[in-house]
Amino acid sequence: MMDQLEQLKQMTSVVADTGDIDAIARFKPVDATTNPSLMLKAAQDTKYAHLLQTAKQQAEALGGSNADILQNMTDQLAVLLGSEISQMIPGRISTEVDARLSFDTQATLAKARQLIEMYAKLGVGRERVLIKIASTWEGIQAAKILENEGIQCNLTLLFGFSQAKACAEAGVFLISPFVGRILDWHKARYPDQDFSGELDPGVASVSRIYRYYKAHGYDTVVMGASFRNIGEIRSLAGCDRLTISPALMQELSDSEETLERRLSAENPQSDDQKAAIDETAFRWQMNEDAMATEKLAEGIRNFAADQVKLETLLSKL
């Protein structure tokens, strides 16, 4: 009998939500994804000390101001770690653009192109990389341009349906709707409400997006992210992809109960009519969605804070 992780892999592409190379080797996901928080955790682990030193040497060789060198160090570390991970997975590694660029389309474009060039120098082609960008209007427009250049993107910090619609219209390769953080918001505001199983608002959000995409013929991949428990994962079995932490992958691998498919691309039905979305509509719909607005802003702030912590750590090398 296959354990639940192996059963899940039969219907969904499993992605490792970690920068831990050992965990990736153990659970054998198709893809892997990192973010500033995971990068910070990796940078504090002695087994990655060699990557930190290499990143420092390469950044110093490029020269520039202290700020330039420090920024280059973080980029070099992200790409060096991503390159190592890419050797252990058959699919792609997602590497994130600095969250502080989330409201600057041109700066996001420049950083994304730079990261792709850095990967190329290490022999990792763009077909093995996804550029992670926050799902702001500016980020989505940057992704639209990058996709047309053959640089595929993973739009992260996605909480609202308007973000999902805009990403699909922009032709984004993949989105990462955050299941657990949606649940966090609702539990904080409605502590006495039952959010178990199918009542989980994060699960409901991803299911709605998935059905909308499939029913209306969008090619954008839906990858549920930010899980709080394996119940959320089970409720999304069949989604295109799910990015899962090592701890939750272990829980799934410890269970041999039958895993039921919950989402399917066959004969999909959606209650939402297909509709284009422009900037005005996007901003208004986000304004009307307090959860999406607050969690997007919070996520950007937290990723930016961890980026600063990472830079502080690297500056002491």
Side-chain angles (χ1 to χ4, degrees):
M1 178 67 181
M2 289 190 293
D3 61 50
Q4 286 200 329
L5 182 59
E6 291 306 312
Q7 291 179 64
L8 181 63
K9 289 179 179 179
Q10 301 299 307
M11 59 187 86
T12 292
S13 294
V14 173
V15 179
D17 191 12
T18 181
D20 187 337
I21 291 175
D22 292 341
I24 292 169
R26 184 164 71 254
F27 293 110
K28 298 179 174 58
V30 173
D31 295 342
T33 181
T34 64
N35 60 45
S37 303
L38 296 174
M39 287 282 295
L40 177 62
K41 185 177 180 179
Q44 295 170 311
D45 192 323
T46 55
K47 68 185 173 187
Y48 300 111
H50 66 291
L51 295 182
L52 271 66
Q53 289 300 324
T54 301
K56 179 181 179 181
Q57 293 168 4
Q58 292 178 345
E60 289 177 341
L62 291 172
S65 67
N66 289 337
D68 290 337
I69 291 174
L70 194 55
Q71 182 63 63
N72 282 330
M73 283 178 66
T74 60
D75 291 341
Q76 294 285 353
L77 179 60
V79 172
L80 287 167
L81 181 60
S83 179
E84 287 211 7
I85 292 173
S86 73
Q87 297 174 36
M88 308 177 69
I89 57 175
R92 302 176 185 235
I93 176 68
S94 287
T95 297
E96 194 143 354
V97 168
D98 190 330
R100 292 169 294 188
L101 305 179
S102 296
F103 302 101
D104 189 331
T105 297
Q106 293 306 313
T108 296
L109 288 170
K111 181 60 68 177
R113 292 163 181 155
Q114 180 187 13
L115 290 169
I116 290 295
E117 289 178 5
M118 292 168 68
Y119 268 113
K121 289 179 180 177
L122 294 177
V124 181
R126 63 178 61 190
E127 73 281 357
R128 298 292 312 283
V129 180
L130 291 178
I131 297 297
K132 284 182 77 174
I133 302 171
S135 299
T136 59
W137 179 259
E138 294 81 2
I140 295 169
Q141 299 318 298
K144 182 177 182 179
I145 294 169
L146 292 168
E147 293 283 353
N148 288 330
E149 295 177 1
I151 298 174
Q152 293 184 312
C153 301
N154 171 353
L155 271 289
T156 188
L157 294 176
L158 194 148
F159 303 97
F161 193 61
S162 57
Q163 292 172 291
K165 287 193 294 183
C167 285
E169 290 294 314
V172 167
F173 177 76
L174 179 147
I175 61 168
S176 297
F178 277 31
V179 179
R181 297 193 196 187
I182 294 175
L183 175 62
D184 294 344
W185 189 92
H186 283 84
K187 287 177 70 174
R189 281 151 184 79
Y190 311 105
D192 298 325
Q193 193 165 331
D194 179 13
F195 293 124
S196 61
E198 301 297 329
L199 299 175
D200 186 311
V203 169
S205 176
V206 175
S207 299
R208 179 188 181 190
I209 292 167
Y210 178 89
R211 294 185 178 110
Y212 179 77
Y213 280 12
K214 303 310 176 188
H216 299 299
Y218 290 110
D219 292 329
T220 299
V221 174
V222 181
M223 182 173 76
S226 175
F227 294 106
R228 295 293 177 261
N229 54 71
I230 59 173
E232 291 178 323
I233 297 168
R234 290 167 174 160
S235 295
L236 292 172
C239 191
D240 296 328
R241 303 186 192 189
L242 298 174
T243 179
I244 307 171
S245 69
L248 293 180
M249 281 196 278
Q250 185 63 57
E251 283 192 51
L252 288 167
S253 68
D254 289 340
S255 173
E256 292 189 349
E257 293 182 23
T258 300
L259 183 65
E260 178 185 349
R261 177 185 284 272
R262 299 298 182 89
L263 296 176
S264 174
E266 294 185 12
N267 302 315
Q269 302 292 321
S270 173
D271 293 331
D272 299 289
Q273 296 298 313
K274 184 175 183 178
I277 183 168
D278 60 14
E279 181 177 358
T280 300
F282 176 87
R283 296 197 185 281
W284 177 251
Q285 290 174 29
M286 284 293 288
N287 181 72
E288 291 292 278
D289 188 339
M291 179 276 296
T293 297
E294 292 171 20
K295 296 307 290 185
L296 173 61
E298 178 187 71
I300 291 171
R301 286 195 302 269
N302 289 342
F303 278 167
D306 281 342
Q307 182 76 19
V308 171
K309 291 177 184 177
L310 177 60
E311 291 174 353
T312 301
L313 177 65
L314 295 178
S315 70
K316 297 176 181 179
L317 292 178

